[in-house]
Amino acid sequence: MPHLAFSRSLEIDSGWDVIVVGGGPAGCTAAAAAARAGARTLLLEQTQSLGGSGTTALVPAWCPFSDKKQIIYRGLAEKVFRASQRGTPHVPKEQLDWVAINPEQLKRVYDDLMEEHGVKVWFQTFLSSVERNAAGDVEAVVISNKGGLRALQARVYIDCTGDGDLAAWAGASFQKGDEAGELQPATHCFVLSNVNEAGLKALPGRLFGGDPLSPVHAILASGRYPEIPDTHLCHNKIGPGTEGFNAGHLFHVDNTDPASVSKAARDGRRLAEAYSRALAEFAPAAFAESFLVMTGTQVGIRETRRIIGDYVLTLDDWLTRRTFDDEICRNAYFIDLHTTAEEARKKISVAEHRFEHYKPGESHGIPYRCLTPKGLRNVLVAGRNISVERVVHGSIRVMPVCLSMGEAAGLAAALAAQAATPDVHAVDTAELRARLREAGAYLP
């Protein structure tokens, strides 16, 4: 393919200490923590709102914030969670686990967090390329938006893209999927409104697909809704007569492949409409008059790249509830791996059935070294793209722990940016942990 010459040189904006790419949970707390520590911080987000899974993807509930004894995702994570709770007054304030999300409220929570800490946010802005030098430093990122193409320079960059785009494009090693390259399925979440709440409560069983009385079993047995592939059906009341659904699986979706995720979006919208019709037929007391309000503006992606860092968190670390000298947060979520298409074909159970959940009060640490990509001096990763074995990825990929990882990455980036030659691998983790504790982090 011939190379194309640009018609003009790119404008270079070098006025930043820290640039965060990706405005999901990890990106938001990373940007806030970096700015709070005095760094001139820019957050780049490709959609028009912050929050990722909980907002644009419409995931209807927070995964557990507690270890069944106390809240363990503290600091900025707890601040976001408590502010989010104000949007769901029907949920008891003392409830810490599986709390419903009002997505419009949560969008404003993240907006307010950025404004409070002085973070500059650019929406509708895409990472387009990454320029790196031989020393292992990212020299610039090229972004595209309505202003055209522009090169941005910072002292430190944080990859919170979920897919590890920045780090991978800069040359970091990564893994993706299982040994055969199979990825966990995606889900396109949706919202039904005008639900009859009394009718929903009167159903003989729960809607949850794990309940043998759930109507999803009769829906599948009928054969009339081929778009619905399995019994995966989770839901939460997100407002009066309004239910958010995390239901159904979309197999063979690779979010790093534009054609793949584009097909998933089309298939997901068809799947949501099929659920709307099927529930109206098989649970009419609750859904006969319900209305499909919306699907997520992004498909919910569970898995893509895992960037190889200075340490790879292992299954043994998870099983032994390991503590690390450089850990930057704790995590108590179970191993939640959804079956791939191949596993489903072979009737292999999902990982959550193969590994026992933690007992109350138990958790494991996540070391800072999982956030530092090998071979890149001024890049950090935070969120579901950190350095872990695939099985453990099923535990660390959810929003509460991503919020905590993001805060640590943001503070570390600000500390690294103060050095004459920024090096994220050289950050004093004792100082990092002490300052995280001062900000409210849970680090026993």
Side-chain angles (χ1 to χ4, degrees), residues 138-203:
V138 170
E139 292 190 315
V141 293
V142 177
I143 56 94
S144 56
N145 55 25
K146 286 294 185 178
L149 292 174
R150 179 184 300 183
L152 304 177
Q153 291 183 318
R155 295 182 65 73
V156 179
Y157 304 82
I158 310 178
D159 185 339
C160 296
T161 61
D163 299 319
D165 292 336
L166 191 157
W169 295 356
S173 298
F174 62 86
Q175 296 174 333
K176 190 167 73 169
D178 63 13
E179 293 81 359
E182 283 265 355
L183 299 166
Q184 291 186 68
T187 294
H188 204 165
C189 296
F190 59 93
V191 175
L192 295 180
S193 196
N194 201 37
V195 175
N196 186 312
E197 295 186 24
L200 184 57
K201 290 179 181 178
L203 291 177

Side-chain angles (χ1 to χ4, degrees), residues 9 16 67 90 100 105 132 158 187 190 194 253 285 291 314 317 350 387 399 413 417 428 433 442:
S9 59
W16 308 102
D67 62 2
H90 59 284
Q105 162 76 6
R132 175 190 170 184
I158 310 178
T187 294
F190 59 93
N194 201 37
V253 178
F291 175 70
T314 68
D317 295 332
V350 295
S387 180
M399 290 185 283
D428 183 342
R433 283 164 48 81
Y442 176 68

Side-chain angles (χ1 to χ4, degrees), residues 132-405:
R132 175 190 170 184
N133 63 24
D137 296 325
V138 170
E139 292 190 315
V141 293
V142 177
I143 56 94
S144 56
N145 55 25
K146 286 294 185 178
L149 292 174
R150 179 184 300 183
L152 304 177
Q153 291 183 318
R155 295 182 65 73
V156 179
Y157 304 82
I158 310 178
D159 185 339
C160 296
T161 61
D163 299 319
D165 292 336
L166 191 157
W169 295 356
S173 298
F174 62 86
Q175 296 174 333
K176 190 167 73 169
D178 63 13
E179 293 81 359
E182 283 265 355
L183 299 166
Q184 291 186 68
T187 294
H188 204 165
C189 296
F190 59 93
V191 175
L192 295 180
S193 196
N194 201 37
V195 175
N196 186 312
E197 295 186 24
L200 184 57
K201 290 179 181 178
L203 291 177
R206 297 177 298 163
L207 284 183
F208 173 60
D211 189 326
L213 296 179
S214 170
V216 73
H217 301 288
I219 290 169
L220 285 176
S222 75
R224 292 198 290 275
Y225 298 93
E227 303 93 340
I228 299 175
D230 53 31
T231 62
H232 174 53
L233 197 164
C234 301
H235 72 106
N236 294 81
K237 177 181 174 179
I238 62 174
T242 305
E243 298 286 325
F245 284 83
N246 177 347
H249 285 132
L250 300 167
F251 295 103
H252 303 299
V253 178
D254 183 350
N255 204 46
T256 67
D257 178 349
S260 174
V261 77
S262 297
K263 180 179 183 299
R266 295 190 296 270
D267 292 344
R269 286 189 282 270
R270 294 188 187 101
L271 177 58
E273 195 272 338
Y275 267 111
S276 178
R277 290 185 287 114
L279 290 171
E281 178 181 352
F282 285 87
F287 297 102
E289 303 298 326
S290 65
F291 175 70
L292 178 59
V293 179
M294 68 181 76
T295 56
T297 53
Q298 287 189 314
V299 174
I301 301 297
R302 294 184 174 90
E303 177 183 21
T304 50
R305 300 185 186 101
R306 306 186 308 279
I307 303 300
I308 302 300
D310 292 320
Y311 186 80
V312 179
L313 194 68
T314 68
L315 176 59
D316 186 64
D317 295 332
W318 190 92
L319 290 171
T320 59
R321 287 67 164 161
R322 187 174 173 187
T323 295
F324 299 87
D325 290 341
D326 64 333
E327 67 184 42
I328 44 78
C329 66
R330 303 290 293 182
N331 178 49
Y333 190 55
F334 61 87
I335 291 180
D336 183 7
L337 281 174
H338 291 231
T339 52
T340 65
E342 182 65 12
E343 288 169 334
R345 186 183 68 80
K346 294 180 178 178
K347 301 188 183 305
I348 298 174
S349 64
V350 295
E352 67 176 279
H353 298 144
R354 299 201 295 268
F355 301 103
E356 291 185 2
H357 293 203
Y358 282 179
K359 294 180 176 63
E362 294 183 337
S363 62
H364 70 87
I366 295 180
Y368 174 68
R369 289 165 291 160
C370 290
L371 279 58
T372 53
K374 282 187 175 180
L376 299 178
R377 288 201 305 188
N378 63 339
V379 175
L380 287 158
V381 295
R384 63 175 172 85
N385 52 6
I386 69 165
S387 180
V388 295
E389 289 183 345
R390 181 174 187 262
V391 172
V392 181
H393 179 270
S395 173
I396 61 85
R397 64 177 176 79
V398 295
M399 290 185 283
V401 65
C402 286
L403 287 166
S404 291
M405 287 189 281

